[in-house]
Every structure is written in C-alpha cells, then in structure tokens.
C-alpha cells in the first residue's frame, strides 16, 4: 500500500522509508503548501497539519510528521517551535539561555499523524537526553540541534558526534513503528 507523505523534506522520507522496508507499505512524497499552527505541542501541530494537508492535496489517506525539541530547564521551549527558533536565533543560542540553569534535561518528540476518513490518528516517539555545556560535534543545517543533545543512551556523546545513536533509539522510528502497528491492527 502506498501512503502519501505530505512533506517537502526528502530527508524525512529517507529516514522513514527503511522502517517500512519489510512491510507492505511504502511512502510517496507529496509536498503540500500548508501553514503551521502556532503551538508548542507537536501532537497539536501534526494533527492540524494532517487535516490541512489532506485538504490541500485532495486525498483522504495522508501522513505528516512534526518533531519538536523540548528543554526542561526552559519549560519545554522551544518545543514544536524548534525550527522557527533555529531560523531566527540559531540552535546554538539555546546554550546561552541555559547558562544559569541547572536542569539541562531535554528530549526530541516526534508526532506522526495520519488523516483517514475524516479522522486523525497521532503516533509519538521520544528520545531523551541532556544539553551539554557546549556544542559538541558539527551540526548540519537539516539537524541543527544534533550538536547540543547528548541522548541518554549515548554515553555522553551528542548525536553530531555519533550519528549511529540516531539509529539506536530514534524518536521517528518509534512513532513510525506505532503507526505501522496501527495500520496492521486496523486491516489497512
């Protein structure tokens, strides 16, 4: 079964497609011009994106994804606004906001949402870690926060220092696996 994945980001498709490799499902990328709502919660953003993408594309079976970066010492900021914060301030400036903070716990949270028959199903995945005192490794444009989060399972290394950490306990994998399970449970 081919699933329309409404995204302009081919990197997301490349990350999710291998998860579907041993299933009967595949993704077909379809960019959709939609405005993102102003919210910190990725589930809310993904839910709305799924509805809006289905309308924009004119299809009834549409998948979207949204990921946020949440820092406990900043009350969950930047959350679903992570891309906006990076674009306007630069992800590394988050370190300045944390200079006087003791709580440096952080997590990525991904929400994969499916619009189907007028309903939206949302599936989430989470990767926890800490924001180090300084940036470590080299972040790339598409992944600006990778040099400032050391996942709990990474022995103190950031994602930028060891890209394999992403494959071991990645939030997009977890959310996509929940989505696949839901498809199977619902005979789709």
């Amino acid at each position: 079964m081919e699933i329309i994945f409404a995204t302009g980001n081919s990197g997301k498709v490349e990350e999710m497609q291998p998860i579907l490799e041993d299933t009967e499902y595949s993704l077909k990328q379809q960019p959709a011009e939609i405005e993102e709502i102003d919210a910190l919660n990725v589930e809310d953003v993904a839910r709305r994106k799924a509805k809006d993408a289905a309308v924009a594309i004119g299809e009834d079976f549409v998948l979207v994804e949204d990921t946020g970066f949440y820092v406990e010492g900043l009350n969950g900021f930047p959350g679903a606004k992570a891309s906006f914060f990076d674009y306007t301030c630069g992800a590394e400036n988050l370190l300045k906001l944390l200079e006087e903070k003791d709580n440096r716990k952080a997590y990525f949270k991904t929400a994969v949402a499916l619009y189907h028959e007028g309903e939206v199903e949302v599936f989430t995945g989470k990767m926890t870690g800490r924001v180090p005192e300084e940036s470590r490794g080299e972040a790339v444009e598409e992944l600006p926060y990778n040099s400032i989060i050391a996942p709990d399972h990474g022995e103190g290394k950031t994602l930028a220092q060891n890209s394999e950490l992403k494959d071991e306990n990645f939030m997009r994998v977890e959310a996509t696996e929940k989505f696949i399970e839901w498809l199977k449970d619902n005979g789709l």
Side-chain angles (χ1 to χ4, degrees), residues 131-152:
V131 177
E133 302 291 327
E134 61 188 20
S135 176
R136 296 194 304 233
E138 191 159 330
V140 293
E141 185 177 334
E142 305 83 35
L143 305 168
Y145 294 93
N146 280 6
S147 64
I148 61 170
I149 185 167
D152 291 339

Side-chain angles (χ1 to χ4, degrees), residues 85-86 89-96 135-137 139 144-145 147-148:
F85 182 82
D86 176 51
C89 301
E92 289 203 12
N93 281 317
L94 204 63
L95 296 173
K96 291 180 183 166
S135 176
R136 296 194 304 233
Y145 294 93
S147 64
I148 61 170

Side-chain angles (χ1 to χ4, degrees), residues 9-10 14 16 33 47 63 68-69 79 84 93 95 114 116 122 125 128 138 143 146 153 160 176 181 185:
N9 185 338
S10 59
E14 290 170 12
M16 290 176 70
E33 291 295 322
R47 188 173 282 108
L63 186 71
F69 183 63
F84 177 76
N93 281 317
L95 296 173
L114 175 71
H116 176 55
V122 180
T128 59
E138 191 159 330
L143 305 168
N146 280 6
H153 66 285
T176 304
E181 192 65 32
D185 288 349

Side-chain angles (χ1 to χ4, degrees), residues 69-74 77-78 85 91-99 101-108 127-136 144-152 156-159 161:
F69 183 63
Y70 298 82
V71 181
E72 287 185 13
L74 300 175
F77 183 80
F85 182 82
E92 289 203 12
N93 281 317
L94 204 63
L95 296 173
K96 291 180 183 166
L97 295 175
L98 283 169
E99 283 177 354
K101 305 287 184 182
D102 291 328
N103 185 352
R104 300 179 77 85
K105 292 179 183 176
Y107 60 91
F108 280 112
M127 182 172 52
T128 59
R130 292 184 49 77
V131 177
E133 302 291 327
E134 61 188 20
S135 176
R136 296 194 304 233
Y145 294 93
N146 280 6
S147 64
I148 61 170
I149 185 167
D152 291 339
K157 291 188 177 183
T158 65
L159 291 172
Q161 290 174 301

